[in-house]
Amino acid sequence: MAASAGAQLERRSSVRRSQSMAQEEDRGQEVDEELMLRSQGSSTEPSGGPAKIAAVVEKDSAATKQSGGPSEMDQMKEKFAKLLLGEDMSGSGKGVPSALALSNAVTNLAASVFGEQRKLEPMAPDRKARWKREVGWLLSVADHIVEFVAKKQVLDNGTEMEVMGTQQRRDLQANIPALRKLDTMLLDYLDNFKERNEFWYVKRDSCSESENEESQRSDEKWWIPIVKVPPGGLPKPSRGWLLHQKELVNQVLKAAMAINANCLMEMHIPDTYIDTLPKNGRASLGDALYRIITDVEFDPDDFLSTVDLTSEHKILDLKDRIEASVIIWNRKVHNKDGKSSWGSAVSQEKREQFEERAQTLLLIIKHRFPGIPQSTLDIAKIQENRDVGFALLESYSRVLESLAYNVMSRIEDVIQADNLAREKAKRDAPPPEEAAAGRRDAQEGGDGTTLLDFMGWTGESEGRNDACSTPPPPPEMPAQDDGRLMKLPNIMTNLKQTYMEKLDFLSGSRSPAGRH
Protein backbone atom coordinates (compact mmCIF):
# COMPACT_ATOMS: atom_id res chain seq x y z
CA MET A 1 0.00 0.00 0.00
CA ALA A 2 2.79 2.42 0.87
CA ALA A 3 4.58 1.68 -2.40
CA SER A 4 1.40 2.23 -4.44
CA ALA A 5 0.66 5.48 -2.64
CA GLY A 6 4.21 6.68 -3.31
CA ALA A 7 3.90 5.77 -6.96
CA GLN A 8 0.62 7.73 -7.25
CA LEU A 9 2.20 10.81 -5.64
CA GLU A 10 5.17 10.55 -7.97
CA ARG A 11 2.89 10.31 -11.02
CA ARG A 12 0.86 13.34 -9.86
CA SER A 13 3.99 15.41 -9.33
CA SER A 14 5.33 14.42 -12.75
CA VAL A 15 2.01 15.39 -14.34
CA ARG A 16 2.14 18.78 -12.62
CA ARG A 17 5.71 19.34 -13.76
CA SER A 18 4.84 18.42 -17.34
CA GLN A 19 1.83 20.76 -17.30
CA SER A 20 3.86 23.66 -15.94
CA MET A 21 6.60 23.03 -18.51
CA ALA A 22 4.04 22.97 -21.31
CA GLN A 23 2.56 26.28 -20.09
CA GLU A 24 5.99 27.88 -20.01
CA GLU A 25 6.74 26.63 -23.52
CA ASP A 26 3.42 28.04 -24.82
CA ARG A 27 4.17 31.44 -23.26
CA GLY A 28 7.66 31.42 -24.72
CA GLN A 29 6.35 30.55 -28.19
CA GLU A 30 3.79 33.37 -28.03
CA VAL A 31 6.44 35.91 -27.08
CA ASP A 32 8.84 34.66 -29.77
CA GLU A 33 6.15 34.88 -32.47
CA GLU A 34 5.18 38.40 -31.52
CA LEU A 35 8.79 39.60 -31.37
CA MET A 36 9.56 37.97 -34.73
CA LEU A 37 6.64 39.74 -36.39
CA ARG A 38 7.73 43.05 -34.89
CA SER A 39 11.33 42.61 -36.05
CA GLN A 40 10.28 41.72 -39.62
CA GLY A 41 8.34 44.97 -39.88
CA SER A 42 5.17 43.27 -41.09
CA SER A 43 2.49 45.76 -42.15
CA THR A 44 -0.20 43.31 -41.16
CA GLU A 45 0.36 43.64 -37.42
CA PRO A 46 -1.47 40.98 -35.44
CA SER A 47 -4.46 42.05 -33.46
CA GLY A 48 -3.44 43.68 -30.18
CA GLY A 49 0.30 43.35 -30.98
CA PRO A 50 2.13 45.52 -28.36
CA ALA A 51 -0.63 45.14 -25.81
CA LYS A 52 -0.60 41.37 -26.24
CA ILE A 53 3.21 41.25 -25.82
CA ALA A 54 3.03 43.38 -22.67
CA ALA A 55 0.27 41.21 -21.26
CA VAL A 56 2.21 38.02 -21.96
CA VAL A 57 5.42 39.41 -20.41
CA GLU A 58 3.55 40.72 -17.38
CA LYS A 59 1.79 37.38 -16.96
CA ASP A 60 5.10 35.57 -17.24
CA SER A 61 6.82 37.85 -14.67
CA ALA A 62 3.92 37.43 -12.26
CA ALA A 63 4.07 33.67 -12.63
CA THR A 64 7.83 33.73 -12.07
CA LYS A 65 7.41 35.88 -8.97
CA GLN A 66 4.79 33.53 -7.60
CA SER A 67 6.70 30.36 -8.40
CA GLY A 68 10.45 31.09 -8.34
CA GLY A 69 11.05 34.68 -6.99
CA PRO A 70 11.45 35.05 -3.21
CA SER A 71 8.63 36.92 -1.57
CA GLU A 72 8.89 39.21 1.44
CA MET A 73 7.75 36.38 3.66
CA ASP A 74 10.52 34.15 2.36
CA GLN A 75 13.12 36.87 2.88
CA MET A 76 11.92 37.44 6.44
CA LYS A 77 12.03 33.70 7.16
CA GLU A 78 15.57 33.51 5.85
CA LYS A 79 16.73 36.48 7.92
CA PHE A 80 15.24 35.21 11.16
CA ALA A 81 16.52 31.70 10.47
CA LYS A 82 20.06 33.10 10.30
CA LEU A 83 19.45 35.00 13.53
CA LEU A 84 18.29 31.83 15.29
CA LEU A 85 21.39 30.02 14.04
CA GLY A 86 23.54 32.74 15.58
CA GLU A 87 25.38 33.47 12.33
CA ASP A 88 26.63 29.85 12.24
CA MET A 89 25.25 28.10 9.16
CA SER A 90 26.83 24.77 10.08
CA GLY A 91 24.24 24.19 12.83
CA SER A 92 26.88 22.97 15.26
CA GLY A 93 25.91 25.51 17.94
CA LYS A 94 29.07 27.61 17.69
CA GLY A 95 27.26 30.80 16.77
CA VAL A 96 27.00 34.03 18.74
CA PRO A 97 24.19 34.65 21.24
CA SER A 98 20.82 35.87 19.98
CA ALA A 99 21.30 39.40 21.36
CA LEU A 100 24.65 39.85 19.60
CA ALA A 101 23.29 38.29 16.39
CA LEU A 102 20.39 40.77 16.39
CA SER A 103 22.73 43.69 17.09
CA ASN A 104 25.01 42.63 14.24
CA ALA A 105 22.00 42.28 11.94
CA VAL A 106 20.93 45.90 12.55
CA THR A 107 24.50 47.13 12.14
CA ASN A 108 25.08 45.21 8.89
CA LEU A 109 21.74 46.34 7.49
CA ALA A 110 22.58 49.99 8.13
CA ALA A 111 26.04 49.55 6.62
CA SER A 112 24.65 47.98 3.45
CA VAL A 113 21.84 50.53 3.05
CA PHE A 114 23.47 53.79 4.15
CA GLY A 115 27.18 53.14 3.88
CA GLU A 116 28.99 56.41 4.50
CA GLN A 117 26.93 59.45 3.55
CA ARG A 118 29.21 61.12 1.02
CA LYS A 119 26.79 63.72 -0.32
CA LEU A 120 23.77 65.69 0.81
CA GLU A 121 21.16 63.96 -1.29
CA PRO A 122 18.00 61.91 -0.69
CA MET A 123 18.20 58.18 -0.35
CA ALA A 124 17.28 56.09 -3.36
CA PRO A 125 13.66 54.87 -3.20
CA ASP A 126 14.65 51.21 -3.33
CA ARG A 127 17.19 51.56 -0.54
CA LYS A 128 14.77 53.54 1.59
CA ALA A 129 12.05 50.91 1.10
CA ARG A 130 14.48 48.14 1.96
CA TRP A 131 15.62 49.93 5.12
CA LYS A 132 12.09 50.54 6.37
CA ARG A 133 10.98 46.99 5.57
CA GLU A 134 13.90 45.08 7.06
CA VAL A 135 14.41 47.27 10.11
CA GLY A 136 10.70 46.76 10.79
CA TRP A 137 11.27 43.01 10.73
CA LEU A 138 14.13 43.27 13.21
CA LEU A 139 12.27 45.64 15.53
CA SER A 140 9.24 43.34 15.56
CA VAL A 141 11.17 41.22 18.06
CA ALA A 142 10.64 43.99 20.63
CA ASP A 143 6.86 43.48 20.48
CA HIS A 144 7.27 40.10 22.20
CA ILE A 145 9.64 41.26 24.97
CA VAL A 146 7.15 41.70 27.82
CA GLU A 147 7.02 42.09 31.58
CA PHE A 148 4.36 41.22 34.15
CA VAL A 149 2.23 44.07 35.49
CA ALA A 150 -0.78 44.17 37.78
CA LYS A 151 -4.08 44.71 35.97
CA LYS A 152 -7.69 44.94 37.09
CA GLN A 153 -10.16 42.48 35.63
CA VAL A 154 -13.94 42.55 36.03
CA LEU A 155 -15.69 39.20 36.05
CA ASP A 156 -19.12 38.46 34.59
CA ASN A 157 -20.80 38.81 37.98
CA GLY A 158 -19.33 42.31 38.46
CA THR A 159 -16.54 41.29 40.80
CA GLU A 160 -13.35 43.28 40.33
CA MET A 161 -10.10 41.49 40.94
CA GLU A 162 -6.41 42.14 40.31
CA VAL A 163 -4.51 39.79 38.02
CA MET A 164 -1.04 39.72 36.52
CA GLY A 165 -0.93 40.58 32.83
CA THR A 166 1.80 41.17 30.29
CA GLN A 167 2.81 44.30 28.45
CA GLN A 168 5.81 45.41 26.44
CA ARG A 169 8.83 46.23 28.56
CA ARG A 170 8.82 49.84 29.64
CA ASP A 171 12.19 50.88 28.20
CA LEU A 172 11.25 49.41 24.81
CA GLN A 173 7.78 50.90 24.97
CA ALA A 174 9.26 54.37 25.49
CA ASN A 175 12.38 54.29 23.28
CA ILE A 176 11.44 52.21 20.23
CA PRO A 177 8.73 54.68 19.03
CA ALA A 178 11.11 57.57 19.75
CA LEU A 179 13.84 55.98 17.63
CA ARG A 180 11.39 55.27 14.80
CA LYS A 181 10.40 58.94 14.89
CA LEU A 182 14.05 60.04 14.78
CA ASP A 183 14.61 57.67 11.85
CA THR A 184 11.73 59.21 9.90
CA MET A 185 12.86 62.76 10.68
CA LEU A 186 16.40 62.05 9.53
CA LEU A 187 15.26 60.60 6.21
CA ASP A 188 12.96 63.60 5.72
CA TYR A 189 15.87 65.97 6.31
CA LEU A 190 17.80 64.17 3.59
CA ASP A 191 14.81 64.52 1.27
CA ASN A 192 14.98 68.30 1.77
CA PHE A 193 18.19 68.36 -0.28
CA LYS A 194 16.45 66.95 -3.36
CA GLU A 195 16.37 70.11 -5.50
CA ARG A 196 19.09 72.19 -3.89
CA ASN A 197 21.45 73.40 -6.61
CA GLU A 198 23.31 76.12 -4.69
CA PHE A 199 26.25 73.75 -4.18
CA TRP A 200 27.56 70.72 -6.04
CA TYR A 201 30.20 68.02 -5.73
CA VAL A 202 33.24 67.22 -7.84
CA LYS A 203 35.71 64.37 -7.66
CA ARG A 204 38.99 65.03 -5.96
CA ASP A 205 40.94 63.86 -9.01
CA SER A 206 39.36 66.56 -11.20
CA CYS A 207 40.51 69.41 -8.92
CA SER A 208 43.81 71.22 -9.00
CA GLU A 209 46.43 70.93 -6.28
CA SER A 210 45.58 74.34 -4.83
CA GLU A 211 41.93 73.38 -4.51
CA ASN A 212 42.89 70.12 -2.81
CA GLU A 213 45.09 72.01 -0.37
CA GLU A 214 42.25 74.41 0.46
CA SER A 215 39.92 71.48 1.02
CA GLN A 216 39.07 70.61 4.59
CA ARG A 217 40.09 66.98 4.06
CA SER A 218 43.53 67.11 2.55
CA ASP A 219 44.79 64.03 4.41
CA GLU A 220 41.88 62.10 5.90
CA LYS A 221 38.71 60.90 4.15
CA TRP A 222 40.18 61.53 0.72
CA TRP A 223 37.44 59.43 -0.89
CA ILE A 224 34.71 61.96 -0.10
CA PRO A 225 34.12 64.41 -3.00
CA ILE A 226 34.87 68.10 -2.67
CA VAL A 227 32.05 70.62 -2.24
CA LYS A 228 31.84 73.50 -4.70
CA VAL A 229 29.91 76.75 -4.19
CA PRO A 230 29.54 79.88 -6.33
CA PRO A 231 32.57 82.23 -6.40
CA GLY A 232 30.99 84.73 -4.03
CA GLY A 233 29.66 82.07 -1.68
CA LEU A 234 26.12 80.91 -0.98
CA PRO A 235 23.26 83.41 -0.92
CA LYS A 236 22.20 84.51 2.53
CA PRO A 237 18.82 82.67 2.41
CA SER A 238 20.54 79.44 1.36
CA ARG A 239 23.16 79.74 4.08
CA GLY A 240 20.48 80.42 6.70
CA TRP A 241 18.46 77.42 5.51
CA LEU A 242 21.56 75.25 5.65
CA LEU A 243 22.34 76.33 9.21
CA HIS A 244 18.74 75.55 10.17
CA GLN A 245 19.04 72.06 8.71
CA LYS A 246 22.26 71.56 10.65
CA GLU A 247 20.51 72.47 13.88
CA LEU A 248 17.67 70.04 13.14
CA VAL A 249 20.08 67.19 12.44
CA ASN A 250 22.02 68.11 15.57
CA GLN A 251 18.87 67.67 17.66
CA VAL A 252 18.40 64.18 16.20
CA LEU A 253 22.04 63.41 16.96
CA LYS A 254 21.71 64.50 20.59
CA ALA A 255 18.55 62.44 21.11
CA ALA A 256 20.12 59.30 19.61
CA MET A 257 23.27 59.81 21.68
CA ALA A 258 21.22 60.12 24.87
CA ILE A 259 19.32 56.89 24.23
CA ASN A 260 22.49 55.03 23.30
CA ALA A 261 24.40 56.26 26.36
CA ASN A 262 21.52 55.35 28.67
CA CYS A 263 21.28 51.86 27.18
CA LEU A 264 25.03 51.25 27.51
CA MET A 265 24.91 52.44 31.10
CA GLU A 266 22.22 49.87 31.92
CA MET A 267 24.25 47.01 30.45
CA HIS A 268 26.19 44.76 32.79
CA ILE A 269 29.97 45.23 32.90
CA PRO A 270 31.49 41.89 31.87
CA ASP A 271 33.94 40.15 34.14
CA THR A 272 36.40 39.73 31.29
CA TYR A 273 36.78 43.52 31.15
CA ILE A 274 37.15 43.89 34.92
CA ASP A 275 39.94 41.30 34.97
CA THR A 276 42.01 43.47 32.63
CA LEU A 277 41.83 46.59 34.83
CA PRO A 278 44.73 47.76 37.00
CA LYS A 279 44.39 47.88 40.77
CA ASN A 280 44.08 51.66 41.18
CA GLY A 281 43.11 54.77 39.27
CA ARG A 282 46.65 56.18 39.23
CA ALA A 283 47.90 53.25 37.17
CA SER A 284 45.05 53.72 34.71
CA LEU A 285 45.34 57.49 34.24
CA GLY A 286 49.07 57.99 34.73
CA ASP A 287 50.78 60.22 37.28
CA ALA A 288 50.30 63.50 35.42
CA LEU A 289 46.59 63.10 34.71
CA TYR A 290 45.96 61.61 38.16
CA ARG A 291 47.46 64.68 39.85
CA ILE A 292 45.26 67.00 37.82
CA ILE A 293 42.03 65.10 38.38
CA THR A 294 42.67 64.68 42.14
CA ASP A 295 43.73 68.27 42.73
CA VAL A 296 41.76 70.41 45.17
CA GLU A 297 40.75 72.85 42.43
CA PHE A 298 39.64 70.93 39.36
CA ASP A 299 38.52 72.43 36.05
CA PRO A 300 37.49 70.03 33.24
CA ASP A 301 38.46 72.51 30.51
CA ASP A 302 41.94 72.95 31.98
CA PHE A 303 42.29 69.18 32.18
CA LEU A 304 41.37 68.71 28.51
CA SER A 305 43.62 71.60 27.46
CA THR A 306 46.65 69.79 28.91
CA VAL A 307 45.92 66.57 26.96
CA ASP A 308 46.81 65.94 23.33
CA LEU A 309 43.51 65.49 21.47
CA THR A 310 44.75 66.03 17.93
CA SER A 311 43.90 62.56 16.61
CA GLU A 312 41.04 60.13 16.96
CA HIS A 313 43.32 57.46 18.41
CA LYS A 314 44.48 59.74 21.23
CA ILE A 315 40.91 60.78 22.09
CA LEU A 316 39.82 57.15 22.24
CA ASP A 317 42.81 56.22 24.39
CA LEU A 318 42.00 58.99 26.87
CA LYS A 319 38.38 57.88 27.01
CA ASP A 320 39.41 54.28 27.70
CA ARG A 321 41.68 55.32 30.57
CA ILE A 322 39.06 57.58 32.16
CA GLU A 323 36.38 54.88 31.91
CA ALA A 324 38.71 52.36 33.52
CA SER A 325 39.42 54.74 36.41
CA VAL A 326 35.68 55.37 36.88
CA ILE A 327 34.99 51.65 37.23
CA ILE A 328 37.92 51.20 39.62
CA TRP A 329 36.75 54.00 41.89
CA ASN A 330 33.15 52.86 41.71
CA ARG A 331 34.05 49.32 42.76
CA LYS A 332 36.14 50.62 45.63
CA VAL A 333 33.25 52.78 46.83
CA HIS A 334 30.76 49.92 46.81
CA ASN A 335 33.17 47.28 48.10
CA LYS A 336 33.21 47.90 51.85
CA ASP A 337 35.15 44.86 53.08
CA GLY A 338 38.83 45.36 53.81
CA LYS A 339 39.80 41.90 52.58
CA SER A 340 39.33 42.79 48.93
CA SER A 341 42.33 43.55 46.77
CA TRP A 342 40.50 46.71 45.66
CA GLY A 343 41.01 48.28 49.08
CA SER A 344 43.03 51.48 49.43
CA ALA A 345 43.90 54.22 51.92
CA VAL A 346 41.86 56.84 50.03
CA SER A 347 38.60 57.78 51.75
CA GLN A 348 35.22 56.94 50.30
CA GLU A 349 34.32 60.61 49.90
CA LYS A 350 37.44 61.26 47.85
CA ARG A 351 36.71 58.31 45.59
CA GLU A 352 33.16 59.53 45.00
CA GLN A 353 34.51 62.98 44.16
CA PHE A 354 37.08 61.55 41.74
CA GLU A 355 34.43 59.39 40.10
CA GLU A 356 32.13 62.38 39.62
CA ARG A 357 34.93 64.39 38.03
CA ALA A 358 35.77 61.54 35.67
CA GLN A 359 32.12 61.19 34.69
CA THR A 360 32.05 64.90 33.87
CA LEU A 361 35.10 64.49 31.65
CA LEU A 362 33.51 61.57 29.83
CA LEU A 363 30.37 63.59 29.18
CA ILE A 364 32.36 66.52 27.80
CA ILE A 365 34.41 64.23 25.53
CA LYS A 366 31.25 62.51 24.31
CA HIS A 367 29.62 65.79 23.28
CA ARG A 368 32.75 67.47 21.99
CA PHE A 369 33.77 64.50 19.82
CA PRO A 370 30.54 62.71 18.86
CA GLY A 371 32.01 60.79 15.94
CA ILE A 372 34.70 58.82 17.77
CA PRO A 373 34.47 55.00 17.70
CA GLN A 374 33.24 52.93 20.59
CA SER A 375 35.49 52.52 23.60
CA THR A 376 36.85 49.23 24.90
CA LEU A 377 34.20 49.15 27.62
CA ASP A 378 31.35 49.69 25.14
CA ILE A 379 32.62 46.94 22.85
CA ALA A 380 32.93 44.53 25.77
CA LYS A 381 29.39 45.32 26.93
CA ILE A 382 27.91 44.77 23.45
CA GLN A 383 29.74 41.49 22.91
CA GLU A 384 28.87 40.05 26.33
CA ASN A 385 25.29 41.34 26.39
CA ARG A 386 22.52 38.75 26.66
CA ASP A 387 19.51 41.11 26.80
CA VAL A 388 17.79 41.20 23.41
CA GLY A 389 15.94 44.41 24.27
CA PHE A 390 19.16 46.24 25.11
CA ALA A 391 20.73 44.89 21.93
CA LEU A 392 17.91 46.36 19.82
CA LEU A 393 17.98 49.75 21.53
CA GLU A 394 21.76 50.05 21.45
CA SER A 395 22.26 49.00 17.84
CA TYR A 396 19.33 51.03 16.46
CA SER A 397 20.32 54.20 18.32
CA ARG A 398 23.95 53.71 17.32
CA VAL A 399 23.24 53.49 13.59
CA LEU A 400 20.95 56.56 13.78
CA GLU A 401 23.65 58.43 15.68
CA SER A 402 26.21 57.51 13.04
CA LEU A 403 23.94 58.58 10.18
CA ALA A 404 23.06 61.89 11.87
CA TYR A 405 26.74 62.61 12.50
CA ASN A 406 27.63 61.91 8.87
CA VAL A 407 24.83 64.16 7.61
CA MET A 408 25.90 66.96 9.93
CA SER A 409 29.51 66.54 8.79
CA ARG A 410 28.45 66.92 5.17
CA ILE A 411 26.53 70.09 6.07
CA GLU A 412 29.61 71.44 7.83
CA ASP A 413 31.63 70.70 4.68
CA VAL A 414 29.30 72.92 2.66
CA ILE A 415 29.45 75.68 5.28
CA GLN A 416 33.24 75.53 5.35
CA ALA A 417 33.40 75.67 1.55
CA ASP A 418 31.14 78.73 1.70
CA ASN A 419 33.43 80.38 4.27
CA LEU A 420 36.47 79.74 2.08
CA ALA A 421 34.68 81.21 -0.94
CA ARG A 422 33.68 84.32 1.02
CA GLU A 423 37.21 84.85 2.32
CA LYS A 424 38.65 84.43 -1.16
CA ALA A 425 36.12 86.91 -2.58
CA LYS A 426 37.12 89.45 0.07
CA ARG A 427 40.79 89.02 -0.74
CA ASP A 428 40.26 89.36 -4.45
CA ALA A 429 37.80 92.28 -4.22
CA PRO A 430 39.24 95.69 -5.31
CA PRO A 431 39.35 98.47 -2.69
CA PRO A 432 36.48 100.99 -2.63
CA GLU A 433 36.77 103.86 -5.08
CA GLU A 434 36.30 106.56 -2.48
CA ALA A 435 38.99 105.20 -0.20
CA ALA A 436 41.37 104.84 -3.14
CA ALA A 437 40.69 108.42 -4.27
CA GLY A 438 41.26 109.70 -0.75
CA ARG A 439 44.57 107.92 -0.51
CA ARG A 440 45.69 109.36 -3.86
CA ASP A 441 44.76 112.90 -2.81
CA ALA A 442 46.64 112.53 0.47
CA GLN A 443 49.74 111.32 -1.35
CA GLU A 444 49.60 114.13 -3.93
CA GLY A 445 48.89 116.80 -1.30
CA GLY A 446 45.96 118.17 -3.25
CA ASP A 447 42.88 119.98 -2.00
CA GLY A 448 40.66 116.93 -2.37
CA THR A 449 38.28 115.60 0.21
CA THR A 450 40.03 114.65 3.43
CA LEU A 451 38.92 112.40 6.22
CA LEU A 452 37.77 115.39 8.30
CA ASP A 453 35.61 116.63 5.42
CA PHE A 454 34.13 113.19 4.97
CA MET A 455 33.20 112.95 8.66
CA GLY A 456 31.81 116.47 8.73
CA TRP A 457 34.14 117.86 11.40
CA THR A 458 35.55 120.91 9.48
CA GLY A 459 34.19 124.31 8.76
CA GLU A 460 34.20 126.27 5.49
CA SER A 461 36.82 125.75 2.84
CA GLU A 462 38.90 128.73 4.01
CA GLY A 463 39.00 127.30 7.50
CA ARG A 464 41.15 124.40 6.32
CA ASN A 465 44.19 126.67 5.83
CA ASP A 466 46.09 126.89 9.12
CA ALA A 467 47.83 130.18 8.13
CA CYS A 468 44.65 132.18 7.59
CA SER A 469 42.35 130.37 9.98
CA THR A 470 40.52 132.40 12.60
CA PRO A 471 41.37 131.83 16.24
CA PRO A 472 39.24 129.31 18.06
CA PRO A 473 36.13 130.59 19.77
CA PRO A 474 36.03 130.64 23.56
CA PRO A 475 34.19 127.81 25.28
CA GLU A 476 31.15 129.96 26.01
CA MET A 477 30.66 130.95 22.36
CA PRO A 478 28.08 129.00 20.38
CA ALA A 479 29.01 126.70 17.55
CA GLN A 480 28.63 127.49 13.87
CA ASP A 481 25.27 127.93 12.24
CA ASP A 482 25.46 124.56 10.52
CA GLY A 483 26.04 122.83 13.89
CA ARG A 484 29.56 121.60 13.09
CA LEU A 485 32.56 122.06 15.34
CA MET A 486 35.26 124.49 14.30
CA LYS A 487 38.71 122.99 14.88
CA LEU A 488 39.42 119.39 15.85
CA PRO A 489 42.90 120.04 17.36
CA ASN A 490 41.58 122.86 19.52
CA ILE A 491 38.72 120.69 20.70
CA MET A 492 41.13 117.96 21.73
CA THR A 493 43.28 120.54 23.56
CA ASN A 494 40.30 121.89 25.41
CA LEU A 495 39.30 118.36 26.41
CA LYS A 496 42.76 117.69 27.77
CA GLN A 497 42.72 120.94 29.76
CA THR A 498 39.29 120.19 31.10
CA TYR A 499 40.40 116.69 32.10
CA MET A 500 43.45 118.09 33.88
CA GLU A 501 41.31 120.62 35.68
CA LYS A 502 39.07 117.78 36.86
CA LEU A 503 42.09 115.90 38.12
CA ASP A 504 43.28 118.99 39.97
CA PHE A 505 39.83 119.43 41.44
CA LEU A 506 39.69 115.82 42.59
CA SER A 507 43.18 116.03 44.08
CA GLY A 508 42.19 119.18 45.86
CA SER A 509 39.04 117.55 47.22
CA ARG A 510 41.16 114.67 48.59
CA SER A 511 43.42 117.10 50.52
CA PRO A 512 42.82 117.46 54.26
CA ALA A 513 41.47 120.94 53.72
CA GLY A 514 39.10 119.66 51.07
CA ARG A 515 37.55 117.08 53.43
CA HIS A 516 36.47 119.85 55.77
Side-chain angles (χ1 to χ4, degrees):
M1 294 294 291
S4 61
Q8 291 179 1
L9 290 176
E10 185 177 359
R11 286 195 298 271
R12 290 178 183 176
S13 60
S14 62
V15 169
R16 291 195 189 97
R17 286 197 300 268
S18 61
Q19 289 178 356
S20 61
M21 292 175 60
Q23 291 176 1
E24 291 178 0
E25 290 178 357
D26 294 340
R27 286 195 298 268
Q29 290 178 0
E30 292 178 359
V31 173
D32 292 341
E33 291 176 359
E34 297 294 341
L35 293 177
M36 187 180 297
L37 292 174
R38 296 288 291 173
S39 62
Q40 290 177 357
S42 175
S43 58
T44 60
E45 192 175 22
S47 59
K52 187 175 181 180
I53 294 176
V56 172
V57 174
E58 184 178 1
K59 184 179 179 181
D60 185 41
S61 61
T64 304
K65 185 176 181 180
Q66 291 178 359
S67 60
S71 61
E72 290 187 4
M73 184 63 68
D74 296 334
Q75 294 177 5
M76 184 173 63
K77 288 180 180 179
E78 180 182 359
K79 182 174 290 292
F80 280 102
K82 292 179 180 179
L83 291 177
L84 290 174
L85 290 173
E87 301 177 359
D88 178 26
M89 302 307 169
S90 64
S92 57
K94 297 180 181 179
V96 299
S98 300
L100 183 57
L102 193 59
S103 176
N104 293 338
V106 176
T107 305
N108 295 334
L109 175 62
S112 61
V113 173
F114 297 119
E116 185 173 10
Q117 194 73 25
R118 300 186 178 184
K119 300 180 181 180
L120 290 175
E121 59 183 5
M123 286 183 60
D126 55 343
R127 291 195 296 131
K128 183 188 294 186
R130 180 194 170 194
W131 166 254
K132 290 183 177 181
R133 180 178 66 251
E134 296 192 13
V135 80
W137 294 347
L138 298 174
L139 293 179
S140 64
V141 179
D143 298 336
H144 304 279
I145 301 175
V146 296
E147 61 183 358
F148 285 102
V149 293
K151 294 182 179 180
K152 292 183 179 180
Q153 184 178 2
V154 180
L155 301 179
D156 296 338
N157 57 2
T159 305
E160 185 176 303
M161 59 184 304
E162 191 176 67
V163 297
M164 296 300 293
T166 59
Q167 69 175 14
Q168 189 180 16
R169 212 168 72 182
R170 294 180 183 178
D171 56 342
L172 301 175
Q173 190 176 7
N175 292 323
I176 290 294
L179 291 174
R180 296 298 296 266
K181 181 64 176 178
L182 294 177
D183 188 357
T184 304
M185 292 169 61
L186 201 53
L187 296 181
D188 291 341
Y189 295 155
L190 284 176
D191 292 338
N192 293 337
F193 292 94
K194 182 177 182 180
E195 297 179 354
R196 309 299 298 190
N197 53 4
E198 296 90 352
F199 57 90
W200 60 96
Y201 294 89
V202 295
K203 294 182 178 180
R204 189 173 294 272
D205 299 337
S206 61
C207 298
S208 60
E209 295 181 359
S210 60
E211 292 177 345
N212 288 331
E213 292 177 357
E214 291 180 356
S215 176
Q216 61 273 19
R217 290 181 306 271
S218 57
D219 296 330
E220 58 181 13
K221 293 187 178 181
W222 49 266
W223 58 89
I224 297 179
I226 298 179
V227 185
K228 289 294 183 180
V229 295
L234 296 174
K236 289 185 177 180
S238 300
R239 183 180 176 88
W241 179 85
L242 201 63
L243 293 174
H244 179 63
Q245 296 298 314
K246 177 185 175 182
E247 182 62 27
L248 294 177
V249 176
N250 190 24
Q251 296 298 325
V252 175
L253 175 63
K254 290 180 179 179
M257 286 174 57
I259 296 176
N260 185 263
N262 188 27
C263 183
L264 286 173
M265 189 182 301
E266 294 293 331
M267 287 185 181
H268 175 69
I269 301 175
D271 295 336
T272 55
Y273 176 80
I274 295 177
D275 295 339
T276 61
L277 295 179
K279 297 303 180 182
N280 52 58
R282 181 189 292 270
S284 175
L285 289 173
D287 294 336
L289 297 182
Y290 181 80
R291 284 194 300 267
I292 297 175
I293 204 171
T294 57
D295 194 5
V296 177
E297 296 181 357
F298 172 73
D299 189 358
D301 294 331
D302 293 343
F303 177 86
L304 294 177
S305 62
T306 59
V307 184
D308 187 8
L309 302 176
T310 55
S311 65
E312 187 178 86
H313 174 72
K314 295 178 181 179
I315 298 171
L316 190 60
D317 179 67
L318 177 64
K319 185 180 178 183
D320 288 337
R321 289 192 287 168
I322 295 176
E323 283 182 344
S325 63
V326 168
I327 295 175
I328 292 171
W329 288 326
N330 183 267
R331 286 177 61 85
K332 287 183 177 181
V333 167
H334 293 87
N335 202 349
K336 302 295 184 180
D337 56 342
K339 299 179 181 180
S340 175
S341 59
W342 295 88
S344 177
V346 183
S347 62
Q348 301 292 334
E349 292 77 9
K350 287 291 185 180
R351 292 196 189 101
E352 292 178 357
Q353 184 182 14
F354 299 160
E355 181 186 356
E356 183 180 355
R357 291 177 177 180
Q359 292 283 6
T360 304
L361 288 174
L362 288 176
L363 185 62
I364 295 175
I365 293 174
K366 181 72 173 178
H367 286 275
R368 187 176 295 183
F369 307 100
I372 59 175
Q374 292 174 324
S375 62
T376 306
L377 176 59
D378 296 341
I379 295 175
K381 284 184 175 181
I382 294 172
Q383 290 180 349
E384 300 294 333
N385 175 47
R386 297 296 180 268
D387 193 316
V388 178
F390 285 161
L392 275 176
L393 288 179
E394 192 281 327
S395 58
Y396 194 25
S397 60
R398 173 162 38 87
V399 298
L400 291 181
E401 176 186 343
S402 177
L403 178 61
Y405 176 75
N406 289 334
V407 173
M408 197 169 67
S409 299
R410 301 294 83 80
I411 296 177
E412 290 176 353
D413 292 346
V414 180
I415 295 175
Q416 187 169 358
D418 178 57
N419 293 335
L420 293 175
R422 290 174 182 270
E423 293 177 0
K424 186 177 181 181
K426 288 181 181 180
R427 292 195 304 266
D428 298 342
E433 296 180 359
E434 295 182 359
R439 287 195 295 269
R440 287 196 301 269
D441 294 337
Q443 293 174 0
E444 295 174 0
D447 295 333
T449 305
T450 61
L451 179 61
L452 299 179
D453 295 332
F454 178 75
M455 299 181 65
W457 285 359
T458 57
E460 298 295 332
S461 59
E462 63 272 8
R464 286 193 295 267
N465 192 356
D466 295 336
C468 58
S469 60
T470 59
E476 63 273 9
M477 292 182 62
Q480 290 183 349
D481 296 337
D482 55 358
R484 292 181 294 174
L485 301 178
M486 285 291 296
K487 292 279 288 182
L488 183 61
N490 293 331
I491 292 173
M492 298 299 296
T493 304
N494 291 338
L495 286 176
K496 290 180 180 179
Q497 292 176 359
T498 306
Y499 184 67
M500 295 299 298
E501 291 174 0
K502 289 184 178 180
L503 289 178
D504 295 336
F505 175 76
L506 292 175
S507 62
S509 62
R510 291 191 182 96
S511 62
R515 292 194 190 99
H516 299 288

